[in-house]
Amino acid sequence: MTPPPLTRLVLYVRDMEACAAFYEKHFGFKATHEQGDRIVELSGAGASLMLHPMGKGQKAGQSLVKLAFDVRDVEDFCARARANGLQFGPLHKGAGYVFANARDPNGNPVQVTSRAFRRR
């Protein structure tokens, strides 16, 4: 049996509009929202992000998931993001790749990484 592909990730958020705008502006997603549905779906080049209203007992930014976006030139991406209003933390070097971290408007961790493009 072929395992099913990972096609969507659910993010629990308090501010749906701010979060959708963040992923559209900084990562090129397109938001769609069907009338009567609580979920905003963000489509892009890879897996979809499903923004779901956060429950009363959930704490903003509390997660065990970090969204990682593959980019060839992390330093350049971070510079362009900074000019567009998104501040990443310092660049970190891994084994043949670079990465940097930030948070979306609801406190969820996001990362840009060149790991997918490293030479092995």
Side-chain angles (χ1 to χ4, degrees):
M1 182 173 143
T2 303
L6 175 64
T7 58
R8 61 194 74 242
L9 299 168
V10 177
L11 289 178
Y12 294 93
V13 301
R14 292 221 189 280
D15 190 338
M16 304 278 277
E17 289 183 27
C19 205
F22 173 86
Y23 287 102
E24 284 182 310
K25 180 178 180 178
H26 297 296
F27 296 99
F29 281 87
K30 178 171 175 29
T32 56
H33 182 242
E34 294 180 21
Q35 192 166 358
D37 191 359
R38 298 183 328 154
I39 294 173
V40 173
E41 184 168 356
L42 297 167
S43 303
S48 294
L49 298 177
M50 310 294 284
L51 303 183
H52 190 286
M54 186 179 296
K56 291 179 183 175
Q58 291 178 301
K59 180 180 173 189
Q62 180 183 27
S63 75
L64 298 175
V65 174
K66 181 186 291 184
L67 302 179
F69 297 88
D70 294 329
V71 297
R72 285 191 183 277
D73 188 335
V74 173
E75 186 173 6
D76 177 65
F77 183 92
C78 291
R80 288 185 288 116
R82 187 172 37 259
N84 204 22
L86 173 57
Q87 182 67 42
F88 277 85
L91 298 178
H92 300 280
K93 295 187 180 195
Y97 65 97
V98 177
F99 64 95
N101 298 301
R103 292 197 177 260
D104 73 15
N106 285 267
N108 296 299
V110 295
Q111 179 181 89
V112 290
T113 175
S114 62
R115 182 180 174 90
F117 306 103
R118 70 182 180 207
R119 294 185 182 124
R120 295 181 193 196

